[in-house]
């Protein structure tokens, strides 16, 4: 099936026309399937007077109401499952902190599709049978660890299913087993690189790492540059959601001009998050996905809350599937500080543009009186810590200026010594919002 560059050349490079025809055929099937098997969608359709046969073109999808995260929470655990419990073969769940988690319930056919899409994704980044894949995403209910595991298994790669934590042991294993592919969150990759320096491992000399597949949290190109430089690898962005399957929804190719959305399985739309209006390709908005082949929990027009831009032009890599530029932020993560919309990723871009600063920062927002306070804690690199000539006040002013030029807000800057901001072995906690309950 594989042919050098592509895992599945026929699907990955099929003409736009063929791809649209394929999508329309699958969309009609999925809509009919939902109407006949899902009490949730049957009711939704009946309430709006919609019938499956009203979906005649891809644009007709706009007649279907949106599905939101709360629909899944409200129908916890199995209210949106469309098959008998005996036909569910695996469960995953989102890492939500409060209330009901969001459940992913997979049939055998969903598992097969997920494995295929993960194999295709890893292969797109250059992962091959000869590689040693070090999977440091969490295993268990979280889709990260097992998602990569299943994909790598299909390719036939040597898998090291190390999961999270035990950083020093991970470094030893990477060295001794000759890991060539690293899969983890970008913040853990930064942490690994820092720890390697501390324990005297030079990743460029002592390791065989070639590529890294990073996702599960938004990250900027500046962090990418740092990771690539420190680990001596090519970094790829991975995107997915528990609701859709986990990782495997889209992946960056070696052109690094966006992530290919596997459109044979997912139909993507971009909407204005305030009004729900569908936007033309190329405009920034919230991503909305419709699954085209799911049988456990199929989803029609699922609102992701993720803000991105979709590019439908053919990619230089030869793949025809549309690309989403890297997710700018989750509309849920968007902060409103003194009435201004700010994404943590914007602060990251500002901070990372200073070579004196480490890839760690924390945003602290509070409201002691009538006005929000906005502070950014940044950390010096080990090298900058040793530099006695460093003018911290000048650096502070420069950081302030850069953040102001990006967000329009002036922030209080606190510079701390290297290693003072707590490190994370999972998802990074970048924002401390102390205003909760003070509104
Ligand atoms: Zn491409």
């Amino acid at each position: 099936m594989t042919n050098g560059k592509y895992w599945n050349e026929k699907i990955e490079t099929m003409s736009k026309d063929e791809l649209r025809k394929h999508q329309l055929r699958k969309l009609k099937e999925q809509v009919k399937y939902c109407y006949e098997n899902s009490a949730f969608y049957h009711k939704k359709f009946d309430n709006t007077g919609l019938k499956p046969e009203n979906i005649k073109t891809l644009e007709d999808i706009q007649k279907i109401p949106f599905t939101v995260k709360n629909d899944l929470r409200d129908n916890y655990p199995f209210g949106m499952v469309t098959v008998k419990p005996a036909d569910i073969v695996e469960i995953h769940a989102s890492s939500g902190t409060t209330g009901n988690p969001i459940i992913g319930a997979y049939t055998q056919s969903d598992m097969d599709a997920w494995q295929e899409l993960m194999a295709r994704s890893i292969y797109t980044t250059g992962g091959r049978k000869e590689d040693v894949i070090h999977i440091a995403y969490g295993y268990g209910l979280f889709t990260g660890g097992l998602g990569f595991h299943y994909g790598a298994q299909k390719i036939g790669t040597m898998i090291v299913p190390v999961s999270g934590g035990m950083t020093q042991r991970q470094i030893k294993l990477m060295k001794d087993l000759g890991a060539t592919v690293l899969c983890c969150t970008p913040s853990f990759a930064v942490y690994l690189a820092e720890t390697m320096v501390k324990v005297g491992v030079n990743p460029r000399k002592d390791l065989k790492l070639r590529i890294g597949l990073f996702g599960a949290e938004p990250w900027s190109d500046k962090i990418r540059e740092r990771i690539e430089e420190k680990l001596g690898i090519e970094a790829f962005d991975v995107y997915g959601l528990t609701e859709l399957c986990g990782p495997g929804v889209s992946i960056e190719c070696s052109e690094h001009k966006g992530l290919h959305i596997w459109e044979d399985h997912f139909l993507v739309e971009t909407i204005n998050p305030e009004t729900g209006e569908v936007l033309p390709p190329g405009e920034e908005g919230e991503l909305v996905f419709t699954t085209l082949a799911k049988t456990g929990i199929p989803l029609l027009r699922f609102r992701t809350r993720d803000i991105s831009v979709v590019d439908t032009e053919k990619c230089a890599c030869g793949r025809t599937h549309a690309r989403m530029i890297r997710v700018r932020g989750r509309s849920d993560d968007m902060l409103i500080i003194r009435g201004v919309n700010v994404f943590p990723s914007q602060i990251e871009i500002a901070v990372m543009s200073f070579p004196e600063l480490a890839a760690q920062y924390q945003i602290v927002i509070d409201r002691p009186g009538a006005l929000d306070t906005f502070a950014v804690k940044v950390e010096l690199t080990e090298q900058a810590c040793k530099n006695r000539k460093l003018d911290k006040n000048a650096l502070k002013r420069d950081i302030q200026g850069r953040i102001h030029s990006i967000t329009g807000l002036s922030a209080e800057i606190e510079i701390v010594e290297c290693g003072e901001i707590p490190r994370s072995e999972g998802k990074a906690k970048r924002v401390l919002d102390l205003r909760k309950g003070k509104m």
Side-chain angles (χ1 to χ4, degrees), residues 67-227:
T67 307
V68 295
K69 276 180 197 287
N70 274 343
D71 291 328
L72 287 147
R73 288 210 177 90
D74 295 345
N75 290 284
Y76 172 87
F78 295 133
M80 292 189 65
V81 173
T82 49
V83 294
K84 296 190 295 289
D87 291 330
I88 295 295
V89 299
E90 191 160 318
I91 293 289
H92 284 276
S94 72
S95 53
T97 44
T98 51
N100 289 337
I102 284 173
I103 294 282
Y106 303 65
T107 61
Q108 190 55 52
S109 107
D110 294 336
M111 290 302 293
D112 295 344
W114 189 24
Q115 186 169 40
E116 174 68 19
L117 291 180
M118 278 312 293
R120 201 195 283 175
S121 298
I122 297 168
Y123 202 88
T124 299
T125 66
R128 297 291 182 270
K129 186 176 164 26
E130 296 72 25
D131 276 299
V132 177
I133 187 166
H134 184 96
I135 304 177
Y137 282 108
Y139 275 64
L141 284 174
F142 176 52
T143 51
L146 283 167
F148 279 90
H149 191 101
Y150 297 139
Q153 210 160 43
K154 182 131 192 174
I155 295 174
T157 313
M158 186 198 295
I159 300 171
V160 186
V162 69
S163 197
M166 301 182 297
T167 310
Q168 297 207 15
R169 188 150 163 257
Q170 295 221 11
I171 295 167
K172 178 177 166 51
L173 287 173
M174 286 167 83
K175 196 171 155 214
D176 296 347
L177 304 178
T180 54
V181 182
L182 170 65
C183 306
C184 63
T185 59
S187 54
F188 188 60
V190 169
Y191 184 58
L192 268 174
E194 285 179 350
T195 313
M196 283 176 195
V197 175
K198 270 191 204 132
V199 300
V201 170
N202 179 342
R204 286 172 177 271
K205 275 199 200 139
D206 304 330
L207 302 184
K208 291 186 184 144
L209 276 186
R210 216 159 51 73
I211 52 179
L213 282 71
F214 307 117
E217 58 189 25
W219 50 307
S220 65
D221 277 333
K222 289 287 177 188
I223 286 265
R224 176 206 296 272
E225 284 167 23
R226 291 267 174 120
I227 294 174

Side-chain angles (χ1 to χ4, degrees), residues 124 251-260 314-321 323:
T124 299
I251 187 80
E252 204 170 64
C253 67
S254 52
E255 297 296 320
H256 299 286
K257 287 189 178 140
L259 290 76
H260 287 286
K314 188 177 169 178
C315 181
C317 75
R319 291 179 183 84
T320 47
H321 295 235
R323 282 162 294 160

Side-chain angles (χ1 to χ4, degrees), residues 250-292:
S250 67
I251 187 80
E252 204 170 64
C253 67
S254 52
E255 297 296 320
H256 299 286
K257 287 189 178 140
L259 290 76
H260 287 286
I261 299 163
W262 298 127
E263 288 189 282
D264 52 327
H265 281 263
F266 306 102
L267 184 64
V268 65
E269 299 170 90
T270 318
I271 63 163
N272 176 327
E274 312 287 328
T275 62
E277 172 207 357
V278 175
L279 302 171
E283 273 190 38
E284 182 175 272
E286 179 183 337
L287 296 176
V288 172
F289 285 101
T290 295
T291 62
L292 294 174

